[in-house]
Coordinates of all heavy atoms in Angstrom, one line a residue:
M195 N -22.1 -30.7 -1.3 CA -20.8 -30.2 -0.7 C -21.2 -29.7 0.6 O -22.2 -28.9 0.8 CB -20.1 -29.1 -1.6 CG -18.9 -28.7 -1.0 SD -17.9 -27.7 -2.2 CE -17.9 -26.1 -1.5
R196 N -20.4 -29.9 1.7 CA -20.6 -29.4 3.0 C -20.3 -27.9 3.0 O -19.3 -27.5 2.6 CB -19.7 -30.2 4.0 CG -19.9 -29.8 5.4 CD -19.0 -30.8 6.3 NE -17.7 -30.3 6.3 CZ -17.3 -29.5 7.1 NH1 -18.0 -28.8 8.0 NH2 -16.0 -29.2 7.1
R197 N -21.2 -27.2 3.7 CA -20.9 -25.6 3.9 C -19.8 -25.5 4.8 O -19.8 -26.0 5.9 CB -22.3 -25.1 4.3 CG -22.1 -23.6 4.4 CD -23.5 -22.9 4.7 NE -23.2 -21.3 4.7 CZ -24.2 -20.6 5.0 NH1 -25.5 -21.0 5.1 NH2 -24.0 -19.4 5.1
L198 N -18.8 -24.6 4.5 CA -17.9 -24.2 5.4 C -18.2 -23.0 6.3 O -18.7 -22.0 5.7 CB -16.6 -23.9 4.7 CG -16.1 -25.1 3.8 CD1 -14.8 -24.5 2.9 CD2 -15.6 -26.2 4.7
H199 N -18.0 -23.1 7.6 CA -18.3 -21.9 8.4 C -17.1 -21.2 9.1 O -16.2 -21.9 9.5 CB -19.2 -22.5 9.6 CG -20.4 -23.1 9.1 ND1 -21.6 -22.3 8.7 CD2 -20.9 -24.4 9.1 CE1 -22.6 -23.0 8.4 NE2 -22.2 -24.3 8.6
P200 N -17.2 -20.0 9.1 CA -16.0 -19.3 9.8 C -16.2 -19.5 11.3 O -17.3 -20.0 11.8 CB -16.2 -17.9 9.5 CG -17.6 -17.6 9.0 CD -18.0 -19.0 8.5
R201 N -15.2 -19.3 12.1 CA -15.2 -19.6 13.5 C -16.2 -18.6 14.2 O -16.7 -17.6 13.6 CB -13.8 -19.1 14.1 CG -12.9 -20.2 14.0 CD -11.4 -19.8 14.4 NE -10.8 -19.0 13.3 CZ -9.4 -18.7 13.4 NH1 -8.8 -18.9 14.4 NH2 -9.0 -18.2 12.3
S202 N -16.6 -19.0 15.4 CA -17.6 -18.1 16.1 C -17.2 -16.7 16.3 O -15.9 -16.4 16.5 CB -17.8 -18.8 17.5 OG -18.4 -18.0 18.4
P203 N -18.1 -15.6 16.3 CA -17.7 -14.4 16.7 C -17.1 -14.2 18.0 O -16.6 -13.2 18.3 CB -19.0 -13.6 16.3 CG -20.1 -14.6 16.3 CD -19.5 -15.9 15.9
Y204 N -17.4 -15.1 18.9 CA -16.9 -15.0 20.2 C -15.5 -15.3 20.3 O -14.9 -15.0 21.3 CB -17.8 -16.0 21.2 CG -19.2 -15.5 21.4 CD1 -20.2 -16.3 20.8 CD2 -19.5 -14.6 22.2 CE1 -21.5 -15.9 21.0 CE2 -20.8 -14.1 22.5 CZ -21.8 -14.8 22.0 OH -23.0 -14.5 22.1
E205 N -14.9 -16.1 19.4 CA -13.5 -16.2 19.6 C -12.6 -15.1 19.5 O -13.0 -14.2 18.7 CB -13.1 -17.3 18.5 CG -13.7 -18.7 18.8 CD -12.9 -19.8 17.9 OE1 -11.8 -19.7 17.7 OE2 -13.6 -20.6 17.4
K206 N -11.5 -15.0 20.2 CA -10.7 -13.9 20.3 C -9.2 -14.2 19.6 O -8.9 -15.3 19.7 CB -10.4 -13.5 21.8 CG -11.6 -13.0 22.3 CD -11.3 -12.5 23.7 CE -12.5 -12.0 24.4 NZ -12.2 -11.6 26.0
L207 N -8.8 -13.2 19.2 CA -7.3 -13.3 18.6 C -6.7 -11.8 19.0 O -7.3 -10.8 18.6 CB -7.3 -13.3 17.1 CG -5.8 -13.4 16.6 CD1 -5.1 -14.7 17.1 CD2 -5.9 -13.6 15.0
G208 N -5.7 -11.9 19.7 CA -5.1 -10.5 20.2 C -5.9 -9.7 21.0 O -5.9 -8.5 21.0
G209 N -6.9 -10.5 21.7 CA -7.9 -9.7 22.6 C -9.1 -9.2 21.8 O -9.9 -8.5 22.3
Y210 N -9.2 -9.4 20.5 CA -10.3 -8.9 19.7 C -11.3 -10.0 19.4 O -10.9 -11.0 18.8 CB -9.8 -8.3 18.3 CG -9.0 -7.0 18.6 CD1 -7.7 -7.1 18.5 CD2 -9.5 -5.8 18.9 CE1 -6.8 -5.9 18.5 CE2 -8.7 -4.8 19.0 CZ -7.3 -4.8 18.9 OH -6.6 -3.7 19.1
V211 N -12.6 -9.7 19.8 CA -13.6 -10.9 19.4 C -13.8 -10.4 17.9 O -13.5 -9.5 17.4 CB -14.9 -10.5 20.2 CG1 -14.6 -10.9 21.6 CG2 -15.5 -9.2 20.0
H212 N -14.4 -11.6 17.2 CA -14.7 -11.4 15.8 C -13.5 -11.5 14.9 O -13.6 -11.7 13.6 CB -15.7 -10.3 15.5 CG -16.3 -10.4 14.2 ND1 -17.4 -11.2 13.9 CD2 -16.0 -9.7 13.0 CE1 -17.7 -11.0 12.6 NE2 -16.8 -10.2 12.1
L213 N -12.3 -11.2 15.2 CA -11.2 -11.2 14.5 C -10.9 -12.5 13.8 O -10.7 -12.6 12.5 CB -9.9 -10.6 15.0 CG -8.7 -10.5 14.2 CD1 -8.9 -9.6 13.1 CD2 -7.5 -10.0 15.1
P214 N -11.0 -13.6 14.5 CA -10.8 -14.9 13.9 C -11.7 -15.2 12.8 O -11.5 -15.9 11.8 CB -10.8 -16.0 15.0 CG -10.4 -15.1 16.2 CD -11.0 -13.7 16.0
R215 N -12.9 -14.8 13.1 CA -14.1 -15.0 12.1 C -13.9 -14.3 10.9 O -14.0 -14.7 9.7 CB -15.4 -14.6 12.7 CG -16.6 -14.7 11.8 CD -17.9 -14.4 12.5 NE -19.1 -14.7 11.8 CZ -19.6 -15.8 11.6 NH1 -19.3 -16.9 12.2 NH2 -20.7 -15.9 10.9
L216 N -13.4 -12.9 11.0 CA -13.1 -12.2 9.9 C -11.9 -12.7 9.0 O -12.0 -12.7 7.8 CB -12.8 -10.8 10.3 CG -12.3 -9.8 9.1 CD1 -13.5 -9.5 8.2 CD2 -11.8 -8.4 9.9
I217 N -10.9 -13.3 9.7 CA -9.8 -13.9 9.0 C -10.3 -15.2 8.2 O -10.0 -15.4 7.0 CB -8.7 -14.3 9.9 CG1 -8.0 -13.0 10.4 CG2 -7.7 -15.2 9.3 CD1 -7.2 -13.2 11.7
D218 N -11.1 -15.9 8.8 CA -11.8 -17.1 8.2 C -12.5 -16.8 6.9 O -12.4 -17.4 5.9 CB -12.6 -17.9 9.1 CG -11.9 -18.8 10.2 OD1 -10.7 -18.7 10.1 OD2 -12.5 -19.2 11.1
K219 N -13.2 -15.7 7.1 CA -14.1 -15.2 5.9 C -13.2 -14.8 4.9 O -13.5 -15.1 3.7 CB -14.9 -14.0 6.4 CG -16.2 -14.5 7.1 CD -17.0 -13.2 7.5 CE -18.3 -13.5 7.9 NZ -19.0 -12.2 8.3
A220 N -12.1 -14.1 5.1 CA -11.1 -13.7 4.1 C -10.6 -14.9 3.3 O -10.4 -14.8 2.1 CB -10.1 -12.8 4.7
K221 N -10.2 -15.9 4.2 CA -9.7 -17.1 3.5 C -10.7 -17.7 2.6 O -10.3 -18.2 1.5 CB -9.0 -18.1 4.6 CG -8.0 -17.5 5.3 CD -7.5 -18.6 6.4 CE -6.2 -18.1 7.1 NZ -5.8 -19.0 8.1
L222 N -11.9 -17.8 3.1 CA -13.0 -18.5 2.4 C -13.2 -17.8 1.1 O -13.4 -18.3 0.0 CB -14.2 -18.7 3.1 CG -14.2 -19.8 4.3 CD1 -15.4 -19.7 5.1 CD2 -14.0 -21.2 3.6
H223 N -13.2 -16.4 1.2 CA -13.5 -15.5 0.1 C -12.5 -15.7 -1.1 O -12.7 -15.8 -2.2 CB -13.6 -14.1 0.5 CG -13.7 -13.0 -0.6 ND1 -15.0 -13.0 -1.2 CD2 -12.8 -12.3 -1.2 CE1 -14.7 -12.0 -2.2 NE2 -13.6 -11.4 -2.0
R224 N -11.2 -15.8 -0.6 CA -10.1 -15.9 -1.5 C -10.2 -17.2 -2.3 O -9.8 -17.3 -3.5 CB -8.8 -15.9 -0.7 CG -7.6 -16.1 -1.7 CD -6.3 -15.9 -0.9 NE -6.0 -14.4 -0.8 CZ -5.0 -13.8 -1.7 NH1 -4.3 -14.6 -2.4 NH2 -4.9 -12.6 -1.5
K225 N -10.6 -18.2 -1.8 CA -10.8 -19.5 -2.2 C -12.2 -19.7 -3.1 O -12.4 -20.7 -3.7 CB -10.8 -20.6 -1.3 CG -9.3 -20.7 -0.6 CD -9.5 -21.9 0.5 CE -8.1 -21.9 1.2 NZ -8.2 -22.9 2.2
G226 N -13.0 -18.6 -3.0 CA -14.4 -18.8 -3.7 C -15.3 -19.5 -3.0 O -16.2 -20.1 -3.5
L227 N -15.2 -19.8 -1.6 CA -16.0 -20.7 -0.8 C -16.8 -19.9 0.2 O -17.3 -20.6 1.1 CB -15.2 -21.8 -0.2 CG -14.4 -22.7 -1.1 CD1 -13.5 -23.5 -0.4 CD2 -15.3 -23.5 -2.0
L228 N -16.9 -18.6 0.2 CA -17.6 -17.9 1.3 C -19.1 -18.2 1.4 O -19.7 -18.1 2.4 CB -17.3 -16.3 1.1 CG -17.7 -15.4 2.2 CD1 -17.0 -16.0 3.5 CD2 -17.4 -14.0 2.0
D229 N -19.7 -18.5 0.2 CA -21.1 -19.1 0.2 C -22.1 -18.3 0.9 O -22.7 -18.8 1.8 CB -21.0 -20.6 0.8 CG -22.2 -21.2 0.4 OD1 -22.9 -21.1 -0.6 OD2 -22.6 -22.1 1.2
G230 N -22.3 -17.0 0.5 CA -23.4 -16.3 1.0 C -23.1 -15.5 2.3 O -24.0 -14.7 2.8
Y231 N -22.0 -15.6 2.9 CA -21.7 -14.7 4.1 C -21.4 -13.4 3.6 O -20.8 -13.1 2.5 CB -20.5 -15.2 4.9 CG -20.8 -16.4 5.7 CD1 -20.4 -17.8 5.2 CD2 -21.3 -16.3 6.9 CE1 -20.7 -18.8 5.9 CE2 -21.5 -17.4 7.7 CZ -21.2 -18.7 7.2 OH -21.4 -19.8 8.0
N232 N -21.9 -12.3 4.3 CA -21.5 -11.1 4.2 C -20.0 -10.9 4.6 O -19.6 -11.6 5.6 CB -22.2 -9.9 5.0 CG -23.7 -10.0 4.5 OD1 -24.0 -10.0 3.3 ND2 -24.6 -9.8 5.4
Y233 N -19.3 -10.1 3.8 CA -17.9 -9.9 4.1 C -17.4 -8.6 3.8 O -17.6 -8.0 2.7 CB -17.1 -10.9 3.2 CG -15.6 -10.8 3.2 CD1 -14.9 -11.0 4.4 CD2 -15.0 -10.6 2.0 CE1 -13.5 -10.8 4.4 CE2 -13.6 -10.3 2.1 CZ -12.8 -10.6 3.3 OH -11.5 -10.4 3.3
K234 N -16.7 -8.0 4.8 CA -15.9 -6.8 4.7 C -16.8 -5.4 4.5 O -16.3 -4.4 5.3 CB -15.1 -6.9 3.5 CG -13.7 -6.3 3.8 CD -12.6 -6.6 2.6 CE -13.2 -6.7 1.3 NZ -12.1 -6.6 0.2
T235 N -17.8 -5.4 4.0 CA -18.5 -4.1 3.7 C -19.7 -3.8 4.5 O -20.3 -2.8 4.4 CB -18.9 -4.0 2.3 OG1 -19.8 -5.1 1.8 CG2 -17.8 -4.1 1.4
V236 N -20.1 -4.8 5.4 CA -21.3 -4.7 6.2 C -21.1 -5.3 7.6 O -20.1 -6.0 7.8 CB -22.6 -5.4 5.6 CG1 -22.9 -4.8 4.3 CG2 -22.3 -6.9 5.4
G237 N -22.0 -4.9 8.6 CA -22.0 -5.6 9.8 C -20.6 -5.5 10.6 O -19.9 -4.5 10.6
F238 N -20.4 -6.6 11.4 CA -19.3 -6.5 12.3 C -18.0 -6.5 11.6 O -17.0 -5.9 12.0 CB -19.4 -7.7 13.2 CG -20.4 -7.7 14.4 CD1 -21.5 -8.5 14.2 CD2 -20.3 -6.7 15.2 CE1 -22.4 -8.4 15.2 CE2 -21.2 -6.7 16.2 CZ -22.4 -7.6 16.1
D239 N -17.8 -7.1 10.4 CA -16.6 -7.0 9.6 C -16.2 -5.5 9.3 O -15.1 -5.1 9.6 CB -16.8 -7.8 8.2 CG -17.0 -9.3 8.4 OD1 -16.9 -9.8 9.6 OD2 -17.4 -9.9 7.4
K240 N -17.2 -4.8 8.8 CA -16.9 -3.4 8.4 C -16.6 -2.5 9.6 O -15.6 -1.9 9.6 CB -18.3 -2.9 7.8 CG -18.1 -1.4 7.4 CD -19.5 -0.9 7.0 CE -19.3 0.5 6.5 NZ -20.6 1.0 6.0
H241 N -17.2 -2.9 10.8 CA -17.0 -2.1 12.0 C -15.5 -2.4 12.6 O -14.7 -1.5 13.1 CB -18.1 -2.4 13.1 CG -19.3 -1.7 12.6 ND1 -19.7 -0.5 12.4 CD2 -20.5 -2.4 12.3 CE1 -20.8 -0.3 12.1 NE2 -21.4 -1.4 12.0
L242 N -15.3 -3.7 12.4 CA -13.9 -4.1 13.1 C -12.9 -3.4 12.2 O -11.8 -2.9 12.7 CB -13.8 -5.6 13.2 CG -12.5 -6.1 13.7 CD1 -12.1 -5.7 15.2 CD2 -12.4 -7.8 13.7
L243 N -13.0 -3.7 10.9 CA -12.0 -3.1 9.9 C -11.8 -1.6 10.2 O -10.7 -1.1 10.2 CB -12.2 -3.4 8.6 CG -12.1 -4.8 8.1 CD1 -12.6 -5.1 6.8 CD2 -10.7 -5.4 8.1
S244 N -12.9 -1.0 10.4 CA -12.8 0.5 10.6 C -12.2 0.9 12.0 O -11.3 1.7 12.0 CB -14.2 1.1 10.6 OG -14.2 2.5 10.9
F245 N -12.6 0.1 13.0 CA -11.9 0.2 14.3 C -10.4 0.1 14.2 O -9.5 0.8 14.9 CB -12.5 -0.7 15.3 CG -11.8 -0.6 16.7 CD1 -12.1 0.4 17.5 CD2 -11.0 -1.6 17.2 CE1 -11.6 0.5 18.8 CE2 -10.4 -1.6 18.4 CZ -10.7 -0.4 19.2
L246 N -10.0 -0.9 13.6 CA -8.6 -1.3 13.4 C -7.9 -0.4 12.4 O -6.6 -0.5 12.2 CB -8.4 -2.8 13.0 CG -8.9 -3.8 14.0 CD1 -8.9 -5.1 13.4 CD2 -8.1 -3.7 15.3
K247 N -8.6 0.4 11.8 CA -8.1 1.5 10.7 C -7.5 0.6 9.5 O -6.3 0.9 9.2 CB -7.1 2.4 11.3 CG -7.8 3.4 12.3 CD -6.9 4.4 12.8 CE -7.5 5.4 13.7 NZ -8.3 5.1 14.8
I248 N -8.1 -0.4 9.1 CA -7.6 -1.2 8.0 C -8.4 -1.0 6.8 O -9.6 -1.1 6.8 CB -7.7 -2.7 8.4 CG1 -6.6 -3.1 9.5 CG2 -7.4 -3.6 7.1 CD1 -6.7 -4.4 10.0
E249 N -7.7 -0.5 5.7 CA -8.4 -0.3 4.4 C -7.7 -1.2 3.4 O -6.7 -1.0 3.0 CB -8.2 1.2 4.1 CG -8.6 1.6 2.6 CD -9.9 1.1 2.2 OE1 -10.9 1.5 2.8 OE2 -10.0 0.4 1.3
G250 N -8.5 -2.2 3.0 CA -8.0 -3.4 2.3 C -7.6 -2.9 1.0 O -6.5 -3.4 0.6
D251 N -8.3 -2.1 0.3 CA -7.8 -1.7 -1.1 C -6.4 -0.9 -1.1 O -5.6 -1.1 -1.9 CB -8.9 -0.9 -1.9 CG -10.1 -1.7 -2.1 OD1 -9.9 -2.9 -2.3 OD2 -11.2 -1.2 -2.3
A252 N -6.4 0.0 -0.1 CA -5.1 0.8 0.1 C -3.9 -0.1 0.4 O -2.8 0.1 -0.1 CB -5.3 1.8 1.0
K253 N -4.2 -1.1 1.3 CA -3.0 -2.1 1.7 C -2.6 -2.8 0.4 O -1.4 -3.1 0.1 CB -3.4 -3.0 2.8 CG -3.4 -2.4 4.2 CD -3.4 -3.6 5.2 CE -2.8 -2.9 6.5 NZ -2.7 -3.9 7.5
K254 N -3.6 -3.3 -0.4 CA -3.4 -4.0 -1.7 C -2.5 -3.2 -2.7 O -1.6 -3.7 -3.1 CB -4.6 -4.5 -2.2 CG -4.5 -5.5 -3.3 CD -5.8 -6.1 -3.9 CE -5.7 -7.1 -4.9 NZ -6.9 -7.7 -5.4
A255 N -2.9 -2.0 -2.7 CA -2.2 -1.1 -3.7 C -0.7 -0.8 -3.2 O 0.2 -0.9 -3.9 CB -2.9 0.3 -3.8
R256 N -0.5 -0.7 -1.8 CA 0.7 -0.5 -1.4 C 1.6 -1.7 -1.5 O 2.8 -1.6 -2.0 CB 0.7 -0.2 0.1 CG 1.9 0.1 0.9 CD 1.7 0.7 2.2 NE 3.0 1.2 2.8 CZ 3.4 0.6 3.9 NH1 2.8 -0.2 4.6 NH2 4.7 1.1 4.4
F257 N 1.0 -2.9 -1.4 CA 1.7 -4.3 -1.5 C 2.1 -4.4 -3.0 O 3.2 -4.7 -3.3 CB 0.8 -5.5 -1.1 CG 1.5 -6.7 -1.4 CD1 2.4 -7.3 -0.5 CD2 1.1 -7.4 -2.5 CE1 3.0 -8.5 -0.7 CE2 1.7 -8.7 -2.8 CZ 2.6 -9.1 -1.8
S258 N 1.2 -4.1 -4.0 CA 1.5 -4.0 -5.4 C 2.7 -3.2 -5.8 O 3.6 -3.6 -6.5 CB 0.3 -3.8 -6.1 OG -0.8 -4.7 -6.0
H259 N 2.5 -2.1 -5.1 CA 3.8 -1.1 -5.4 C 5.1 -1.7 -5.0 O 6.1 -1.6 -5.7 CB 3.5 0.2 -4.6 CG 4.5 1.2 -4.6 ND1 5.0 1.9 -5.7 CD2 5.5 1.5 -3.6 CE1 6.0 2.5 -5.4 NE2 6.4 2.4 -4.2
F260 N 5.2 -2.3 -3.7 CA 6.3 -2.7 -3.2 C 6.8 -4.1 -4.1 O 8.1 -4.3 -4.4 CB 6.2 -3.2 -1.8 CG 6.3 -2.1 -0.8 CD1 5.4 -1.9 0.1 CD2 7.2 -1.1 -1.1 CE1 5.4 -0.7 1.0 CE2 7.3 0.0 -0.2 CZ 6.4 0.2 0.9
L261 N 5.8 -4.7 -4.4 CA 6.2 -6.0 -5.3 C 6.7 -5.5 -6.6 O 7.8 -6.2 -7.1 CB 4.8 -6.9 -5.5 CG 4.9 -8.1 -6.4 CD1 6.0 -9.0 -5.7 CD2 3.6 -8.7 -6.5
K262 N 6.2 -4.5 -7.3 CA 6.6 -4.1 -8.6 C 8.0 -3.5 -8.4 O 9.0 -3.7 -9.2 CB 5.7 -3.1 -9.1 CG 6.1 -2.6 -10.5 CD 5.1 -1.7 -11.0 CE 5.3 -1.3 -12.5 NZ 4.3 -0.3 -13.0
Q263 N 8.3 -2.8 -7.3 CA 9.6 -2.2 -7.1 C 10.8 -3.2 -6.9 O 11.8 -3.0 -7.2 CB 9.4 -1.3 -5.7 CG 10.2 -0.1 -5.8 CD 9.8 0.8 -4.5 OE1 9.4 0.2 -3.4 NE2 10.2 2.1 -4.6
S264 N 10.4 -4.3 -6.3 CA 11.3 -5.5 -6.1 C 11.5 -6.3 -7.2 O 12.4 -7.2 -7.1 CB 10.9 -6.2 -4.8 OG 9.6 -7.2 -5.0
G265 N 10.8 -6.0 -8.3 CA 11.0 -6.8 -9.5 C 10.2 -8.0 -9.6 O 10.3 -8.8 -10.5
G266 N 9.1 -8.2 -8.9 CA 8.3 -9.2 -8.8 C 6.8 -8.9 -9.4 O 5.9 -9.7 -9.3
G267 N 6.8 -7.6 -9.9 CA 5.4 -7.4 -10.6 C 4.9 -8.4 -11.6 O 5.6 -9.1 -12.3
G268 N 3.5 -8.7 -11.3 CA 2.9 -9.7 -12.2 C 3.0 -11.1 -11.6 O 2.3 -12.0 -12.3
R269 N 3.9 -11.4 -10.6 CA 4.0 -12.7 -10.1 C 2.7 -13.0 -9.2 O 2.4 -12.2 -8.4 CB 5.2 -12.8 -9.2 CG 6.5 -12.6 -9.9 CD 7.5 -13.6 -10.1 NE 7.5 -14.7 -9.2 CZ 8.6 -15.2 -8.5 NH1 9.8 -14.8 -8.9 NH2 8.6 -16.2 -7.8
K270 N 2.1 -14.2 -9.5 CA 1.0 -14.6 -8.7 C 1.2 -15.4 -7.5 O 0.4 -15.6 -6.7 CB 0.0 -15.4 -9.7 CG -0.4 -14.6 -11.0 CD -1.3 -13.5 -10.6 CE -1.8 -12.8 -11.8 NZ -2.1 -11.4 -11.7
D271 N 2.5 -15.9 -7.4 CA 2.9 -16.7 -6.3 C 3.3 -15.9 -5.1 O 3.4 -16.5 -4.0 CB 4.1 -17.6 -6.7 CG 5.3 -17.0 -7.2 OD1 5.1 -16.0 -7.9 OD2 6.3 -17.5 -6.9
I272 N 3.5 -14.6 -5.3 CA 3.9 -13.7 -4.1 C 2.6 -13.1 -3.6 O 2.2 -12.0 -4.4 CB 5.0 -12.8 -4.6 CG1 6.1 -13.5 -5.1 CG2 5.4 -11.9 -3.4 CD1 7.3 -12.7 -5.7
R273 N 2.0 -13.5 -2.6 CA 0.7 -13.0 -2.2 C 0.7 -12.3 -0.7 O -0.4 -11.8 -0.4 CB -0.3 -14.2 -2.1 CG -0.5 -14.7 -3.6 CD -1.3 -16.0 -3.6 NE -2.1 -16.3 -2.4 CZ -2.9 -17.3 -2.3 NH1 -3.2 -18.0 -3.4 NH2 -3.6 -17.7 -1.3
T274 N 1.7 -12.5 0.0 CA 1.8 -12.0 1.3 C 3.3 -11.2 1.4 O 4.0 -11.3 0.7 CB 1.8 -13.0 2.4 OG1 3.0 -13.9 2.2 CG2 0.6 -13.9 2.2
Y275 N 3.2 -10.3 2.4 CA 4.3 -9.6 2.8 C 5.5 -10.6 3.1 O 6.8 -10.3 2.7 CB 4.2 -8.4 4.0 CG 3.7 -7.3 3.4 CD1 2.3 -7.0 3.6 CD2 4.4 -6.4 2.8 CE1 1.8 -5.8 3.2 CE2 4.0 -5.2 2.2 CZ 2.6 -4.9 2.5 OH 2.0 -3.8 2.0
F276 N 5.2 -11.6 3.8 CA 6.3 -12.7 4.1 C 6.7 -13.3 2.8 O 8.0 -13.4 2.7 CB 5.7 -13.9 4.9 CG 5.4 -13.4 6.4 CD1 5.6 -12.2 6.9 CD2 5.0 -14.5 7.3 CE1 5.4 -11.9 8.2 CE2 4.7 -14.2 8.6 CZ 5.0 -13.0 9.0
D277 N 5.9 -13.6 1.8 CA 6.3 -14.0 0.4 C 7.3 -13.0 -0.2 O 8.3 -13.2 -0.8 CB 5.3 -14.2 -0.5 CG 4.4 -15.3 -0.1 OD1 4.8 -16.2 0.6 OD2 3.2 -15.4 -0.5
L278 N 7.0 -11.8 0.0 CA 7.6 -10.5 -0.7 C 9.0 -10.5 -0.1 O 10.0 -10.3 -0.7 CB 6.8 -9.3 -0.5 CG 7.6 -8.0 -1.1 CD1 7.8 -8.2 -2.5 CD2 6.7 -6.8 -0.8
I279 N 9.1 -10.5 1.3 CA 10.5 -10.7 2.0 C 11.3 -11.7 1.5 O 12.4 -11.6 1.1 CB 10.3 -10.6 3.5 CG1 9.6 -9.4 4.1 CG2 11.6 -11.0 4.1 CD1 9.1 -9.5 5.5
E280 N 10.7 -12.9 1.3 CA 11.4 -14.1 0.9 C 11.9 -13.9 -0.5 O 13.1 -14.2 -0.9 CB 10.5 -15.4 0.9 CG 10.2 -15.8 2.3 CD 11.3 -16.3 3.1 OE1 11.8 -17.5 2.9 OE2 11.7 -15.6 4.0
F281 N 11.1 -13.3 -1.4 CA 11.6 -13.0 -2.8 C 12.6 -11.9 -2.8 O 13.6 -12.2 -3.5 CB 10.3 -12.5 -3.6 CG 10.7 -12.1 -5.0 CD1 10.9 -13.0 -5.9 CD2 10.6 -10.7 -5.3 CE1 11.2 -12.6 -7.3 CE2 11.0 -10.3 -6.6 CZ 11.3 -11.3 -7.5
D282 N 12.4 -10.9 -2.0 CA 13.3 -9.8 -2.0 C 14.8 -10.1 -1.5 O 15.8 -9.8 -2.0 CB 12.9 -8.7 -1.1 CG 13.6 -7.3 -1.3 OD1 13.8 -6.9 -2.5 OD2 13.9 -6.7 -0.3
E283 N 14.8 -11.2 -0.6 CA 16.1 -11.6 0.0 C 16.6 -12.9 -0.7 O 17.6 -13.6 -0.2 CB 15.8 -11.9 1.5 CG 15.5 -10.6 2.2 CD 15.3 -10.7 3.7 OE1 15.3 -11.8 4.2 OE2 15.2 -9.7 4.2
G284 N 15.8 -13.2 -1.8 CA 16.4 -14.3 -2.7 C 16.1 -15.8 -2.3 O 16.6 -16.7 -2.8
R285 N 15.1 -15.9 -1.3 CA 14.8 -17.3 -0.9 C 13.6 -17.8 -1.7 O 13.4 -19.0 -1.7 CB 14.4 -17.5 0.6 CG 15.7 -17.2 1.5 CD 15.4 -17.4 2.8 NE 14.7 -16.2 3.4 CZ 15.3 -15.0 3.8 NH1 16.5 -14.9 3.7 NH2 14.6 -14.0 4.1
L286 N 13.0 -16.9 -2.4 CA 11.8 -17.3 -3.3 C 12.2 -17.1 -4.8 O 12.4 -15.9 -5.1 CB 10.7 -16.6 -2.9 CG 9.3 -17.0 -3.6 CD1 8.9 -18.4 -3.5 CD2 8.1 -16.0 -3.2
K287 N 12.3 -18.0 -5.7 CA 12.9 -17.7 -6.9 C 11.7 -17.6 -7.9 O 10.6 -18.2 -7.8 CB 13.8 -18.9 -7.3 CG 14.9 -19.2 -6.6 CD 16.0 -18.0 -6.7 CE 17.1 -18.2 -5.7 NZ 17.9 -17.0 -5.5

């Protein structure tokens, strides 16, 4: 199997270097394809998340709270805030 690589740390998103790479790593991690890359807790990932004041576990807990409050607790198909809005407004059954 071909190894998947995240984007270069030089690429920018919103003026931030390394952010596209961090996003790619998150996507690969979710799919179980990160394949040996450090992610989130060390190096540039950790520093960028700290600089942006992003705490993944706290955001996940907040999302789970809102999902449960909207009646979607336990649903595996609602994974993003956009999904949650669609569900809450009746476009996602």
Side-chain angles (χ1 to χ4, degrees):
M195 183 165 115
R196 187 175 75 87
R197 183 173 179 179
L198 301 173
H199 298 283
R201 282 175 272 186
S202 166
Y204 288 107
E205 287 195 40
K206 292 181 182 179
L207 179 63
Y210 295 101
V211 295
H212 192 75
L213 183 56
R215 182 176 180 86
L216 177 63
I217 291 168
D218 287 352
K219 285 177 161 185
K221 289 177 180 179
L222 289 169
H223 176 73
R224 179 173 274 257
K225 294 177 182 177
L227 300 172
L228 193 53
D229 194 31
Y231 282 99
N232 291 325
Y233 169 62
K234 221 172 32 168
T235 59
V236 296
F238 290 111
D239 295 349
K240 180 180 177 180
H241 296 297
L242 181 58
L243 290 169
S244 176
F245 176 77
L246 295 172
K247 295 180 175 48
I248 295 174
E249 170 51 52
D251 293 335
K253 278 197 162 186
K254 188 174 183 177
R256 186 170 187 237
F257 178 80
S258 294
H259 169 76
F260 287 132
L261 180 60
K262 188 176 181 180
Q263 220 176 18
S264 70
R269 299 244 336 223
K270 302 292 183 201
D271 60 324
I272 302 172
R273 298 175 10 176
T274 67
Y275 278 101
F276 286 4
D277 293 341
L278 182 56
I279 291 168
E280 293 293 284
F281 175 73
D282 193 47
E283 294 178 355
R285 287 183 289 277
L286 182 63
K287 303 290 180 198

